[in-house]
Each structure stands twice: as C-alpha cells, then as structure tokens.
Amino acid sequence: MARVPVSRHLRVALLALLVVASAAAARGDHQPRRLTMAARYERWMARFGRAYADDAEKARRMEVFGANAARVDAANRAGNRTYTLGLNQFSDLTDDEFARAHLGYIWPPSHRHGHRAENGTGAAAAAASLDDMDVPDSVDWRARGAVTEVKNQRSCGSCWAFAAVAATEGLVQLATGNLVSLSEQQVLDCTGGANTCNGGDVSAALRYIAASGGLQTESAYAYGGQQGACRAGGFATPNSAAAVGGARWARLYGDEGALQALAAGQPVVVVVEASEPDFRHYRSGVYAGSAACGRRLNHAVTVVGYGAAADGGGEYWLVKNQWGTWWGEGGYMRVARGGGTGGNCGIATYAFYPTMDS
C-alpha cells in the first residue's frame, strides 16, 4: 500500500497534540467531575485504606463523602479564596463527628473569664520581654532545624499535648542544638486532671513537661492514640537532655504584633477555631476563615514561623498541625496574618510557650 503523504504542518500539529497529551499524563490530570460520585468514593476508600462494618454503613458514609466532595468542588470552582480545598482522611465524617474526634482544646476557667493563670501575662508584657530583639520580617523554624516531623493525633482529642510537645521540642533544640522527637503519649498519660482524649489544657501540659524533669523520647514512650496509665515512673531517670524550666501563657487580645514577637524567638502554641468546614479540608494556600471564625477556640496548633506568600496570597502564620501529612501542605497550614479579629480564626488570642528559666 502506498504511503499517504503527510504535510509538514499536519506533522507539527500532531506532534504538538502528542506533547500536550504526554504532559497531561505526567501531571496525572484526571478531572473528578468526569467520574461518578460512587467511583470517586471507591478511589478515595482505596487511597486511605477505609473499610466499613457492612453495606449500610458504607452507604451512609458515601452520602457524607458526597456532601463533603460537593462542598470542596464548589469552593474550588468559586475561585474567590486565597486557598484551595481537597479531599482527605476526614472526608467521610460529618462536621460533628470530626470535631469530637480530632480537635480537643478546652478553655480552663482561668482563661475563659479573663483571669491570669500561673505565670500568665498579657500581650504588652509578652512583647516587651522581646523588645531588645530585632524581630525579623519572616521566620521559618523548620529551616533552622527546630521542628520535628509532622505527627498524627489520630482519633483522640490530644491536640493540647501535641502542640505543647512541639513547642518544647523547638525550645530544646534552640537551647542545646539537638532536635529530639519527644513523647506526646507521656503528656497524655501523665498530665492528669481533666486532660484526656476528650480534650485538655495546653498550660497544664506545659506545666507537667517542666515538672517532669525531661520528657522521654517518642521512641521510648510511643504514641498509641488513646490515654493509658502514666508510665513515667517506669524509667530510671527523666530525660534531662529534654528538660525545660517553666511554662508561660499570654492573653494577646488579637495583638498579632505580640504574637510575632513571641514566634520570632521560638515555636509557640496557639489555639484556633478549627470547626469551620473549610478548615478540615484545607489543602494549600493562605487560609482565611469567615469573619466570625475565632469565637469557639477548640484546637491547639504550633506557630513555627510567619512570612508573606510569593504568590500574592498575603501575609501568613506558618502553623504545624498534627493530623498527619495527608492534610494541608504536608501537615502544615498558612493562616492569614494581619487580618485583625476576622479571617485568622482567633490565632492571636492566647499564646503558650515553655521557658528555660523556672
């Protein structure tokens, strides 16, 4: 059979189409809207290893998943946010189920009524303590080797313990030069009082850490996802290489300048409202909650830096969360900075931090 001649222009056009198709395949361009919701759900189940007790539970979860997926799709299509959303390990949970299992900051009465707790201070005093320090325009404690890997509190409201430990790990590294992953399970088991998987107080956690003489390492006292009996007495001695002297907290009254001064010196625990639907499905960008976000502080996280987004998203707080690396930007979130009381979900309401002095 005679070969059909192909013009030079057609050959160039075919080559261009091949390049575009190859690039799309390399990027993994699969448009979710081309899949049925059932197919998206099956793909999501496989990705996160989800299995259910029976078909009825699976059907119920698919309904919840569908509602969450529709909300994520609509938010991303709107294009009016400085962040994007995505499906993650929480996408088959209702808002209430998510809040019960994955948040966990409890306001102690001394904070709730505006009283000062032990070693408590105000925004002015917190900032004044760092007056002599040249506060930089941006900080990233990860780049300075003061932040451990992203961890996962699982279905336990132990954010208060994780955030307190993250701040302690940072201070220990700054003081000693050694970054050591420390035990959240020890804090969960041993802080006592009303501090459980149903929530807890960051101040109480930091006070326990200071009194412990040094937390055990993560490997020595591993996290199990539920509270158990305190095993700290089973170790011959406290881990003095991870000892801190004291704990402080500051009521900031929305003063982001005071929080910046604190976060320029070390990683700092803050509390936010994380129950807005967009928060748990955050994927990337600079997150800005609703104008009302911040009235129900229910989740503790750690500010490990701040800066300004190169993509025009504005100034942000760099937050380390403890929901694993599937969530957010590899487990991190950038929260809007400089928005006053709206948009940043209450991030500059309270700050908690360990100290080397007693």
Side-chain angles (χ1 to χ4, degrees):
M1 180 182 293
R3 189 172 66 177
V4 177
V6 179
S7 71
R8 179 175 178 274
H9 292 298
L10 179 59
R11 189 178 295 112
V12 170
L14 291 173
L15 180 60
L17 286 173
L18 180 61
V19 169
V20 170
S22 298
R27 290 194 308 268
D29 285 356
H30 302 290
Q31 298 299 325
R33 62 180 176 272
R34 294 179 181 175
L35 299 175
T36 65
M37 190 59 70
R40 290 179 71 182
Y41 182 53
E42 292 291 341
R43 177 177 292 184
W44 175 88
M45 286 180 61
R47 182 180 187 186
F48 291 100
R50 192 74 92 245
Y52 302 105
D54 52 42
D55 289 342
E57 176 66 7
K58 180 180 177 181
R60 189 175 81 84
R61 290 297 165 189
M62 186 174 78
E63 184 177 355
V64 175
F65 173 87
N68 284 325
R71 187 161 55 192
V72 166
D73 294 345
N76 289 339
R77 279 198 305 269
N80 58 354
R81 292 165 168 81
T82 53
Y83 58 91
T84 61
L85 304 182
L87 299 175
N88 55 33
Q89 68 268 40
F90 306 129
S91 297
D92 66 342
L93 301 177
T94 67
D95 294 341
D96 288 343
E97 288 170 334
F98 169 77
R100 286 197 300 270
H102 299 285
L103 303 183
Y105 170 70
I106 295 177
W107 292 26
S110 57
H111 295 185
R112 191 178 303 124
H113 299 297
H115 300 154
R116 292 183 178 180
E118 180 182 359
N119 292 328
T121 186
S129 67
L130 294 172
D131 270 349
D132 295 332
M133 188 179 76
D134 183 18
V135 178
D137 292 333
S138 64
V139 166
D140 187 341
W141 289 113
R142 298 174 302 180
R144 303 189 191 187
V147 183
T148 60
E149 74 283 358
V150 170
K151 302 180 186 182
N152 194 338
Q153 68 186 72
R154 305 182 204 169
S155 296
C156 169
S158 54
C159 62
W160 54 275
F162 275 81
V165 168
T168 301
E169 291 168 339
L171 182 62
V172 168
Q173 193 279 336
L174 293 173
T176 68
N178 297 317
L179 182 63
V180 182
S181 184
L182 301 175
S183 174
E184 294 83 11
Q185 188 68 48
Q186 182 180 346
V187 178
L188 175 61
D189 291 349
C190 304
T191 297
N195 302 289
T196 68
C197 272
N198 294 321
D201 172 16
V202 177
S203 290
L206 288 172
R207 289 196 300 270
Y208 167 74
I209 292 170
S212 72
L215 291 179
Q216 299 300 318
T217 63
E218 182 78 47
S219 58
Y221 200 150
Y223 186 68
Q226 59 185 355
Q227 190 174 37
C230 180
R231 295 186 282 120
F235 297 92
T237 59
N239 179 19
S240 59
V244 297
R248 290 192 175 90
W249 69 272
R251 186 164 186 175
L252 303 180
Y253 298 97
D255 186 344
E256 293 188 83
L259 179 57
Q260 180 179 353
L262 289 170
Q266 65 187 90
V268 176
V269 181
V270 295
V271 288
V272 296
E273 180 179 344
S275 45
E276 286 200 341
D278 280 9
F279 197 105
R280 66 176 165 120
H281 279 115
Y282 166 80
R283 171 177 284 172
S284 63
V286 178
Y287 182 81
S290 71
C293 190
R295 296 176 182 175
R296 297 182 297 165
L297 302 177
N298 50 25
H299 188 53
V301 292
T302 313
V303 172
V304 295
Y306 56 86
D311 57 5
E315 295 183 323
Y316 62 83
W317 298 106
L318 178 61
V319 167
K320 181 186 183 185
N321 204 348
Q322 52 277 335
W323 291 341
T325 56
W326 284 111
W327 179 86
E329 296 180 328
Y332 292 88
M333 182 186 225
R334 288 178 289 161
V335 177
R337 181 165 66 100
T341 57
N344 59 24
C345 295
I347 198 168
T349 305
Y350 296 113
F352 307 84
Y353 52 102
T355 64
M356 280 301 174
D357 58 298
S358 59

